[in-house]
Amino acid sequence: MPETLPSDSVGIVEPQTAYFPESFTLANNRVLPEYQIVYETYGVLNQAKSNAVLICHALSGNHHAAGYHSMDDHKPGWWDNYIGPGKAIDTNKFFVVCPNNLGGCDGSTGPKSINPNTGKAWGAEFPSLRVRDWVHSQAQLADKLGIAQWAAVIGGSLGGMQAMRWSLEYPERLRYCIVIASSMRLTAQNIAFNETARQAIMSDPNFAEGNYIEQNVLPEKGLSVARMIGHITYLSDDGMGKKFGRDLQSGSFALGTEETVEFQIESYLRYQGRKFSASFDANTYILMTRALDYFDLAREYNNDAVGAFKKAQCKFLVISFTSDWRFSPERSREIVNALIHAERDVSYAEIESTYGHDAFLVKGQDRYDNIFRHYLKGIET
Amino acid sequence: MRIDHLAIDKWIAQNSRVLDLGCGDGSLLKHLSNSKQVHAYGLEISAEYIQACIEKGINVIEQDLDKGLENFKSDSFDTVIMSYTLQTMHYPDKVLRDMLRIGKEGIVTFPNFGHWNARLHLLFKGRMPVSTRLPYQWYNTPNIHFCTFRDFEKLCNEMKFNIVDHLVVSENTSSQILQKWKPNLFGETGIYRITRS
């Protein structure tokens, strides 16, 4: 909890809600009769409405990307390290919009919301979503805010997939696309991790086939294990070794004792799992990981990523991190190669880091910060 | 403006697609995008140079040329440039072959190791040449494959490349006069325009 707010913080922020009363047809042809999107904004929209930046969140993110909700908050928003006055995404220059994605569990319409047709929580009945559904709903939000064209659409991981999809679905509605630690489609190994996480949730008796809210229980254990699996893959072997090594949280290996030994990494992962399962919705987790698995940028372009990107009109910045094995630099290079052969403007940097996939969130990485900062500085508003 | 950059400019067509292997701080591409409106990408491995390119608004791709250029399709560029980079490559011949696979035309500039200064340095001091343009010691230099103009021309011949045009440039005036007489002895930098035969 901050005693006083740091000078480079966007300060105390308040989420807003945009309500869309018209029906919304999803990629799978199912229809949401109405929906709402919760979002936050930082900075000021200029008169020409040309300085707006859209932040697309990743799997477990939400609309709270920067600042604090109150002075009692323990932590600022999830990308506070890179959003704020004077930071890489400079709120003195840009009007930053970050929505909670449809299907989320932090206020936007999702499995926890009431299905107007039944009067009960959607639960497992909530329609499956594709990345494009998020992009289309974000476009409706942009319409509502009067933003005809984003200066930039920016996202890491699953957020990067949304940013790329934006460049194809609404090519004239963004000038720059920043894709960090992302991929044009997941590998089999990646889908395997997601499926293992889903199975952990579904095998929890409290999951109740997704109708746990109705039954007034929560699949906390399953969701917790799902998060632990995910968390391991977001860090690197090196990074984990540096942070925890084989240090013990409790117990001892002294001969002649029979104390239960607990490694720090065990206790850390359990803590992360517990914390996550208390705040996140299991159905949302399943839905988001499936959207990740289903995403394939070029599927509808005859699996030709070059052909797909020819549709884009914006300029691209692609960034990857050397120790990221979940969305490895190789995946980013595939994006870059497709962009080059599609004759799109693109720059690419591969940042040396031990933070694994999570690196895009971690502060204090000078090279990442500098590239991100200077690229955004060059964007005219 | 570097003297070799000025010369390269003349061989670049308006609105062409240009790939610069080892683009440094991006100043050549910046110049070419202003003078010829080229659509260009630079490949670079140094973090500082990549940063400099980003600041200039140049398309820069972090890539190690020594690991190959398989990611570039054949004939995908009009001109592929290698300015003062050839001598830093592990396999200069492989890069040259790739260069002319990717581009219809290649432009290569490199320092002449047959320059009298280098020859005298080795002859009299008995030590590897060090100059203001190439200030490194033998043990810390990124320049690992030096050649003379004659060496380069021989390689082009062996690889069946056409030398369409070539220039010899020097920064200092006396060299500029003498290089016309004996380029391999007095020319400082060679600029070659090459194509597949």
Side-chain angles (χ1 to χ4, degrees):
Chain A
M1 149 180 32
E3 295 267 304
T4 55
L5 292 167
S7 63
D8 60 355
S9 166
V10 296
I12 301 288
V13 294
E14 210 179 311
Q16 300 165 67
T17 305
Y19 174 65
F20 301 90
E22 300 85 20
S23 61
F24 183 70
T25 306
L26 301 166
N28 62 9
N29 215 29
R30 282 180 67 183
V31 177
L32 287 178
E34 56 176 14
Y35 74 97
Q36 68 176 34
I37 292 284
V38 170
Y39 65 100
E40 287 183 3
T41 70
Y42 323 110
V44 181
L45 185 61
N46 65 12
Q47 214 150 26
K49 299 189 174 184
S50 59
N51 68 334
V53 162
L54 175 69
I55 307 292
C56 303
H57 70 71
L59 180 57
S60 58
N62 58 21
H63 53 281
H64 185 37
Y68 299 83
H69 284 155
S70 83
M71 293 302 278
D72 297 330
D73 277 2
H74 290 280
K75 272 181 162 181
W78 58 269
W79 223 8
D80 194 79
N81 294 326
Y82 294 94
I83 303 172
K87 290 182 184 169
I89 304 171
D90 189 351
T91 50
N92 290 328
K93 174 178 178 178
F94 294 111
F95 175 65
V96 179
V97 180
C98 183
N100 178 213
N101 281 347
L102 204 58
C105 51
D106 287 293
S108 293
T109 299
K112 274 181 11 182
S113 312
I114 301 298
N115 176 352
N117 299 327
T118 63
K120 290 193 276 188
W122 282 95
E125 293 304 307
F126 195 82
S128 72
L129 297 175
R130 301 282 185 86
V131 168
R132 72 184 62 234
D133 293 318
W134 293 329
V135 168
H136 295 154
S137 59
Q138 288 157 358
Q140 293 202 333
L141 176 63
D143 292 342
K144 191 155 271 195
L145 297 173
I147 296 160
Q149 185 187 60
W150 300 102
V153 176
I154 308 175
S157 189
L158 178 57
M161 292 173 167
Q162 293 161 60
M164 287 187 281
R165 186 57 80 199
W166 257 97
S167 75
L168 303 186
E169 292 293 300
Y170 299 101
E172 69 296 339
R173 292 195 74 172
L174 65 159
R175 298 198 296 282
Y176 290 85
C177 181
I178 304 185
V179 182
I180 308 169
S182 194
S183 169
M184 292 192 286
R185 53 182 191 168
L186 292 193
T187 59
Q189 186 195 46
N190 231 316
I191 296 170
F193 281 123
N194 284 341
E195 175 57 10
T196 311
R198 284 190 293 266
Q199 287 301 324
I201 294 171
M202 292 182 205
S203 59
D204 185 327
N206 279 353
F207 181 64
E209 290 177 345
N211 299 314
Y212 46 87
I213 293 179
E214 231 176 288
Q215 299 191 14
N216 220 11
V217 286
L218 282 177
E220 281 172 300
K221 286 202 171 118
L223 186 54
S224 176
V225 173
R227 180 58 175 177
M228 286 165 78
I229 295 164
H231 206 90
I232 296 165
T233 69
Y234 303 147
L235 305 177
S236 75
D237 189 10
D238 249 18
M240 227 187 229
K242 265 191 199 144
K243 195 165 172 189
F244 303 102
R246 294 177 51 85
D247 293 352
L248 297 186
Q249 183 72 18
S250 60
S252 128
F253 286 113
L255 292 177
T257 66
E258 208 191 11
E259 281 181 66
T260 309
V261 161
E262 188 185 35
F263 288 97
Q264 274 189 10
I265 183 63
E266 297 178 273
S267 127
Y268 170 81
L269 276 181
R270 275 206 298 273
Y271 168 76
Q272 291 296 334
R274 257 198 320 273
K275 197 173 72 166
F276 186 75
S277 63
S279 64
F280 209 80
D281 179 62
N283 282 318
T284 289
Y285 199 81
I286 290 172
L287 177 152
M288 296 261 178
T289 53
R290 287 213 165 113
L292 250 175
D293 293 356
Y294 297 164
F295 183 76
D296 185 342
L297 183 102
R299 191 190 286 117
E300 74 203 72
Y301 298 89
N302 291 324
N303 297 311
D304 170 21
V306 176
F309 277 130
K310 280 200 171 135
K311 224 183 140 186
Q313 294 173 15
C314 58
K315 299 183 179 207
F316 291 81
L317 171 66
V318 180
I319 297 177
S320 71
F321 299 90
T322 51
S323 59
D324 183 353
W325 55 282
R326 189 87 199 248
F327 289 74
S328 70
E330 190 51 38
R331 302 286 83 73
S332 286
R333 275 185 239 123
E334 287 165 1
I335 300 171
V336 172
N337 289 335
L339 285 166
I340 290 173
H341 290 99
E343 307 190 13
R344 301 300 96 174
D345 282 313
V346 55
S347 282
Y348 170 61
E350 206 167 293
I351 311 293
E352 187 78 37
S353 167
T354 57
Y355 294 115
H357 184 52
D358 268 352
F360 78 96
L361 302 165
V362 179
K363 74 168 171 185
Q365 301 180 92
D366 289 349
R367 188 170 173 226
Y368 171 44
D369 191 277
N370 273 329
I371 285 188
F372 204 179
R373 178 183 299 269
H374 281 98
Y375 192 84
L376 283 163
K377 234 182 210 169
I379 295 179
E380 285 162 21
T381 55
Chain B
M1 175 103 208
R2 256 166 56 181
I3 193 161
D4 51 331
H5 289 182
L6 277 172
I8 290 171
D9 182 81
K10 296 193 183 92
W11 293 339
I12 300 290
Q14 203 75 29
N15 299 314
S16 56
R17 271 173 69 74
V18 173
L19 181 66
D20 188 354
L21 307 178
C23 65
D25 68 359
S27 49
L28 173 63
L29 290 184
K30 183 81 192 172
H31 171 83
L32 294 176
S33 31
N34 291 333
S35 65
K36 298 289 168 73
Q37 289 75 49
V38 293
H39 191 241
Y41 303 88
L43 303 193
E44 194 36 75
I45 194 169
S46 137
E48 290 92 281
Y49 281 152
I50 290 167
Q51 178 71 32
C53 290
I54 298 265
E55 287 175 30
K56 285 191 180 75
I58 294 294
N59 289 327
V60 62
I61 311 294
E62 182 160 346
Q63 184 167 341
D64 183 352
L65 303 176
D66 276 326
K67 289 188 179 157
L69 294 163
E70 285 85 28
N71 55 318
F72 287 91
K73 290 184 188 156
S74 299
D75 289 314
S76 51
F77 284 84
D78 296 308
T79 308
V80 181
I81 300 172
M82 216 183 337
S83 172
Y84 260 71
T85 302
L86 186 69
Q87 77 280 358
T88 67
M89 297 287 95
H90 280 140
Y91 303 101
D93 53 336
K94 282 189 186 166
V95 186
L96 286 170
R97 182 164 287 126
D98 258 341
M99 192 177 182
L100 285 188
R101 175 184 64 77
I102 298 162
K104 296 185 189 106
E105 194 167 288
I107 299 176
V108 186
T109 82
F110 59 89
N112 176 23
F113 218 59
H115 189 260
W116 64 269
N117 208 344
R119 297 192 197 194
L120 286 185
H121 206 108
L122 193 58
L123 184 64
F124 288 113
K125 294 196 177 163
R127 294 183 54 198
M128 288 303 280
V130 176
S131 65
T132 41
R133 191 71 192 271
L134 301 163
Y136 304 96
Q137 296 295 332
W138 65 272
Y139 49 84
N140 64 9
T141 182
N143 305 310
I144 52 174
H145 279 122
F146 280 116
C147 64
T148 69
F149 293 165
R150 230 171 260 164
D151 288 328
F152 182 78
E153 286 162 18
K154 185 167 176 282
L155 180 66
C156 285
N157 188 33
E158 281 167 15
M159 295 180 79
K160 302 199 168 29
F161 295 156
N162 285 333
I163 296 173
V164 182
D165 213 339
H166 85 277
L167 285 170
V168 175
V169 295
S170 302
E171 302 278 350
N172 85 48
T173 350
S174 51
S175 291
Q176 281 168 9
I177 299 160
L178 292 165
Q179 75 194 15
K180 285 182 187 140
W181 170 51
K182 279 204 177 288
N184 201 38
L185 188 57
F186 293 107
E188 286 170 6
T189 297
I191 312 178
Y192 286 79
R193 189 179 182 189
I194 54 177
T195 58
R196 278 164 273 170
S197 38

